[in-house]
Amino acid sequence: GPWRWFDESMLDCCEPLEIVKARGITFGKLVCLAHCAGAKVEAFHASQSTINDFRKYVHKCSSSDDCHLISSYHRGALKQTGTGHFSPIGGYHVGKDMALILDVARFKYPPHWVPLSVLWEGMNYIDESTGKSRGFMLISRPHTEPGMLYTLSCKHESWNSIAKFLMDDVPFLLKSEDVQDIYKVLSIIFTSLPSNFEEFIKWIAEIRRHEDGDSSLSEEEKTRLAVKEEVLRHVHETSLFKHVSSFLSSSCGRQTLISR
């Protein structure tokens, strides 16, 4: 089709498309959708903002490539047919205090100028499905540093069984056993580990050994490794780590490891 990046069939992470087609989408669900697509979002209900703040943001985003403003308004305030609607603002006329609406329903209304006060009135209409006013949101690229810690990789097949063990089996085991203290909890977990747990640990350790031993690390990667060491230091200082270390060094813990 004509879409280079997104097709509307892909925009279903916050609401099933069948519901969107039948009922439309609320202000909050559109904010959710933007987050799902990886954008940074700042959302403002009209009831919690002012027309002066709105004007400031319209002016800012209309004169910059760093942000885009989407308005949620009721078409009735603009003397248009229809009800609730979303469209981006493409420009601002300072002298006339008018906003250029790039209506997404171009077959119905091509881009058009409206007084900012009229658009603001349309954003103050209450959405009956939520009981809240409409509003506007600022969409921009997220300004984040490259990942400094670990990124989850599911390439190793042992991830499946380990995840199931931690999410499903451990809660069930703890409910079925007479658990009185932290050492009993650790004993249950270590004696019930999946058969391929050792393989999983070796895989993780091998990856870390490869990263730490690579002499061609960039400055960014060296910084990331330094952060990892700092995080591990904090982990070693936690009560849980001390309990696990104490358990593994005990006769019960050593016997558990031998039996594994």
Side-chain angles (χ1 to χ4, degrees), residues 140 150 232:
S140 59
Y150 297 92
L232 288 174

Side-chain angles (χ1 to χ4, degrees), residues 8 12 16-17 32 79 83 87 91 100 102 118 124 151 156 160 166-167 171 176 180 184 192 198 221 224 238 256-257:
E8 52 190 34
D12 61 350
L17 290 178
C32 171
K79 309 301 183 200
T83 53
S87 283
L100 177 62
L102 303 180
V118 173
N124 274 279
T151 299
H156 199 282
N160 293 328
L166 295 174
M167 296 174 63
S176 61
Q180 298 179 347
K184 181 63 174 177
S192 307
E198 183 179 357
E221 290 169 326
R224 186 179 72 250
T238 63
T256 300
L257 291 178

Side-chain angles (χ1 to χ4, degrees), residues 1-243:
W3 307 108
R4 184 178 179 187
W5 302 117
F6 287 101
D7 179 82
E8 52 190 34
S9 64
M10 300 162 57
L11 306 179
D12 61 350
C13 72
C14 301
E15 191 87 289
L17 290 178
E18 294 74 17
I19 294 179
V20 175
K21 291 176 182 178
R23 306 176 189 171
I25 190 170
T26 64
F27 184 78
K29 289 294 175 64
L30 185 62
V31 171
C32 171
L33 196 58
H35 279 299
C36 282
K40 176 184 176 182
V41 188
E42 296 178 80
F44 305 86
H45 285 282
S47 60
Q48 299 173 339
S49 186
T50 68
I51 188 173
N52 289 330
D53 286 336
F54 178 53
R55 181 181 292 109
K56 177 184 68 176
Y57 287 124
V58 168
H59 186 276
K60 174 186 175 182
C61 292
S62 297
S63 56
S64 170
D65 291 332
D66 295 332
C67 73
H68 304 279
L69 190 148
I70 296 177
S71 174
S72 170
Y73 57 96
H74 195 287
R75 284 193 182 278
L78 281 61
K79 309 301 183 200
Q80 298 175 348
T81 59
T83 53
H85 193 55
F86 296 96
S87 283
I89 305 301
Y92 175 64
H93 193 295
V94 178
K96 295 183 178 180
D97 195 30
M98 299 182 79
L100 177 62
I101 297 180
L102 303 180
D103 201 312
V104 293
R106 294 188 61 167
F107 66 91
K108 189 173 182 180
Y109 294 103
H112 51 279
W113 291 93
V114 299
L116 193 80
S117 58
V118 173
L119 181 56
W120 178 252
E121 178 188 345
M123 293 194 298
N124 274 279
Y125 275 53
I126 300 299
D127 184 343
E128 295 180 358
S129 64
T130 63
K132 297 180 180 180
S133 66
R134 301 172 191 278
F136 63 96
M137 62 192 75
L138 310 180
I139 309 293
S140 59
R141 292 179 181 272
H143 298 290
T144 57
E145 296 297 327
M148 296 300 288
L149 296 174
Y150 297 92
T151 299
L152 179 64
S153 173
C154 301
K155 293 180 180 179
H156 199 282
E157 60 182 12
S158 58
W159 266 113
N160 293 328
S161 59
I162 303 304
K164 180 182 182 302
F165 171 71
L166 295 174
M167 296 174 63
D168 300 333
D169 299 344
V170 169
F172 176 78
L173 289 169
L174 295 180
K175 285 182 179 179
S176 61
E177 298 280 348
D178 181 20
V179 181
Q180 298 179 347
D181 54 42
I182 184 65
Y183 292 101
K184 181 63 174 177
V185 171
L186 294 174
S187 177
I188 292 173
I189 292 175
F190 278 102
T191 56
S192 307
L193 290 173
S195 59
N196 61 346
F197 188 78
E198 183 179 357
E199 181 184 359
F200 172 73
I201 292 297
K202 284 183 178 179
W203 176 66
I204 295 294
E206 185 61 33
I207 289 178
R208 189 166 188 275
R209 191 157 47 240
H210 173 73
E211 288 183 345
D212 294 355
D214 190 345
S215 59
S216 62
L217 292 177
S218 67
E219 288 301 316
E220 179 184 315
E221 290 169 326
K222 291 178 181 177
T223 301
R224 186 179 72 250
L225 291 176
V227 174
K228 286 181 182 179
E229 294 302 327
E230 180 68 11
V231 171
L232 288 174
R233 184 179 68 80
H234 286 294
V235 169
H236 292 168
E237 295 173 354
T238 63
S239 298
L240 178 60
F241 182 84
K242 293 174 182 176
H243 283 306

